[in-house]
Amino acid sequence: MKTKTLKNIAYLGVGTFLLLGNTSCTKDFEKINTPPTSVTSVDPALLLSRVLRDGTFQESGEVPNNKFGSWVQHWAGGPVVPVSRYFEGPENLIWSQHFQLLRNIVQIKQELKGLENDPAGRSKLAIAEIYEVYLYQRLTDLFGDIPFSEITQSSTTINRTPKFDKQEDIYPALVQHLDAALAKLTAGDSSYGTADFFYGGSIDKWKKFGNSLKLRLGMRMRYANPSLAQQTVTTALSSEYGLLASNADNAAVATFNNAQAENQNPILRMFTTGSADLRYLANTLVNTLKTYDDPRLPLLAQPVTINGNTVYQGIGVALTDNELSQLIRANYSTPNKSTWFSLTAVAIPSYAMTYSDVCFYKAEAALLGWGATNSEAHTQFVNGVKAAFALPPYNLTSLPSTYEQQVLSFTGLTDAQKMEKIGTQKWIQLFGRNMEAFAEWRRTGYPVLTPGPNPGSTNGKIPRRGIYSSEEAELNEANYKEAVARLSNGDSFLSKVWWDKR
């Protein structure tokens, strides 16, 4: 019996599909029904390129900016963006986008099957599996319990109604999966080359990325499972794999300013194609930078002229209809039209993880005595801020002396006050990375944010999670209902995910 792979459609979780193989046992049928140019496999490198690009751009896209970016008060949407005003709505697009990316990673595994211990495929598989952990963490951080252990992984077992695993079980599993993937990375193996948008095929840099992701997983569990958090963090800090050690190690996708380019920066795309309501900065972000006399402010925000004076002014978040109707939009700052919104300046990369992230985690770990002493916290904190200043579009190579001596000083502060400074600087640095900013704000509680005046559907409280896809509720009803029953406030913005204890 002769077999030939034909592409068919099968589920990878509810509402999401996976290209899988099917077989034919009829020789004549195969000849008649298979065009001579039929594609029967997909290059794993092409799949990885798409996954890294789309996965990274989703952090800065229109929906995350409007929703999570406004919740953490980086952005301030108007009436065309109801979720920014605390009105509930299911996260259908975000849910389906993540499972689409996970589908492609499963396809990479299918294409490299049999090469798990071969230099031709071993490290390629490991890289895909590391990024798979990255995506699963982001998905569970947004929603809490999600389909995980029963997701389709092959063409022989297709589960259309996977259970929702508890987040408290997913996190330890992600650490185990990450350890296994890191152990496979081997210098000298074949890699993805230029198709790897993060590291150009560098296996050593993927080791650093994977281990830095482990550090992030550990710190996210800090308040929910302190013992596992400490174990995970300390092993990552001491690992031979290393951590992101400079901005040269940042995981980023290059972008272009051309409005027709496939890789246009998502923030720039909002300016060229989106509603004006999507473009304004929140007063919380602008006022914080003004208070600090932060040199990043004029490089981030567009100045406006009011009564002959040049000022930076953000819009209040979650305003009422009456308040919005009285706004004169020309009086409020958008991201700077010479940097973030420029069609002529050097394009700003879209980041997945940075050296600055790692420094802030190391500073927090030092405060806790996890792998470092408390006295080392300030050094790592300042290193994180310096790295954030040096990122495009700021490109600031040093800190003003007054900024370092006053804004960043730890002198006379309690550990809680030091942590507030770390959390606030991380919040500034995460501008444009909305899902991560939302996760870290919920985890640390910093900066302390005041909800906007519009009550929305949360009685004026800032949301704590996303709402499950309505498609999942319809097509996987029993498992969806079981997961919702575990939530303190049902499938709403106000339920908290497992690690959210602040």
Side-chain angles (χ1 to χ4, degrees), residues 95-417:
W95 183 270
S96 63
Q97 284 176 335
H98 277 77
F99 278 109
Q100 181 178 356
L101 296 171
L102 292 165
R103 169 196 73 189
N104 288 332
I105 289 178
V106 170
Q107 183 67 17
I108 292 174
K109 295 179 184 179
Q110 292 284 332
E111 298 294 340
L112 296 174
K113 190 173 184 179
L115 300 176
E116 290 83 357
N117 299 308
D118 190 312
R122 175 175 50 201
S123 291
K124 289 182 178 180
L125 279 165
I127 288 169
E129 288 164 353
I130 289 170
Y131 196 68
E132 183 179 41
V133 170
Y134 178 94
L135 291 173
Y136 269 122
Q137 182 189 22
R138 194 166 71 185
L139 188 66
T140 187
D141 286 350
L142 289 174
F143 296 100
D145 300 353
I146 58 169
F148 175 70
S149 62
E150 294 184 356
I151 288 296
T152 296
Q153 293 292 325
S154 74
S155 58
T156 58
T157 305
I158 301 169
N159 184 7
R160 301 175 187 277
T161 54
K163 73 175 183 180
F164 285 58
D165 294 79
K166 296 178 180 178
Q167 189 179 66
E168 61 194 273
D169 297 328
I170 293 173
Y171 255 77
L174 291 179
V175 173
Q176 293 174 2
H177 291 344
L178 192 54
D179 284 341
L182 282 165
K184 294 177 189 175
L185 287 173
T186 305
D189 278 2
S190 296
S191 192
Y192 294 101
T194 56
D196 172 4
F197 288 155
F198 284 179
Y199 298 123
S202 171
I203 290 172
D204 284 342
K205 288 200 173 185
W206 272 102
K207 289 178 181 179
K208 292 181 180 181
F209 175 85
N211 194 45
S212 300
L213 178 57
K214 182 174 180 177
L215 176 63
R216 186 170 88 175
L217 285 164
M219 291 308 303
R220 202 82 97 220
M221 295 186 285
R222 173 183 171 181
Y223 298 105
N225 188 337
S227 60
L228 180 58
Q230 181 175 3
Q231 177 187 341
T232 304
V233 167
T234 54
T235 55
L237 291 172
S238 62
S239 172
E240 63 182 7
Y241 300 123
L243 297 162
L244 304 187
S246 73
N247 279 338
D249 291 335
N250 291 344
V253 175
T255 66
F256 303 94
N257 290 340
N258 185 339
Q260 305 303 316
E262 184 77 6
N263 275 28
Q264 188 186 46
N265 188 293
I267 295 178
L268 175 60
R269 188 177 300 121
M270 287 199 305
F271 179 69
T272 56
T273 63
S275 164
D277 259 352
L278 312 179
R279 304 173 189 168
Y280 292 93
L281 296 176
N283 59 357
T284 309
L285 177 63
V286 172
N287 290 344
T288 299
L289 294 173
K290 287 165 66 174
T291 299
Y292 292 165
D293 195 19
D294 195 305
R296 288 171 291 186
L297 176 61
L299 297 167
L300 187 154
Q302 181 70 23
V304 294
T305 301
I306 302 176
N307 297 325
N309 298 314
T310 300
V311 299
Y312 297 93
Q313 183 165 273
I315 292 180
V317 298
L319 298 181
T320 64
D321 290 338
N322 184 55
E323 289 169 320
L324 284 169
S325 68
Q326 297 179 47
L327 291 180
I328 301 173
R329 298 309 174 94
N331 290 346
Y332 297 93
S333 296
T334 66
N336 192 299
K337 294 175 183 176
S338 299
T339 56
W340 292 95
F341 279 173
S342 175
L343 288 170
T344 58
V346 175
I348 301 165
S350 191
Y351 294 100
M353 187 181 294
T354 69
Y355 167 58
S356 185
D357 298 356
V358 170
C359 291
F360 290 138
Y361 282 129
K362 290 169 76 172
E364 182 176 353
L367 288 181
L368 297 169
W370 292 0
T373 61
N374 192 292
S375 60
E376 296 176 62
H378 187 256
T379 298
Q380 294 298 340
F381 172 54
V382 173
N383 287 344
V385 177
K386 286 181 177 178
F389 269 53
L391 291 175
Y394 316 119
N395 300 311
L396 299 169
T397 56
S398 62
L399 301 176
S401 58
T402 54
Y403 195 91
E404 185 167 356
Q405 294 165 8
Q406 298 174 18
V407 177
L408 304 185
S409 175
F410 275 4
T411 302
L413 300 184
T414 65
D415 283 355
Q417 291 169 325

Side-chain angles (χ1 to χ4, degrees), residues 14-15 89-93 95 143 467-477 480 491:
V14 173
E91 327 305 342
N92 289 7
L93 180 60
W95 183 270
F143 296 100
I467 295 175
Y468 288 129
S469 166
S470 59
E471 294 177 2
E472 196 74 18
E474 293 172 4
L475 301 175
N476 192 12
E477 183 179 9
Y480 161 79
D491 189 14

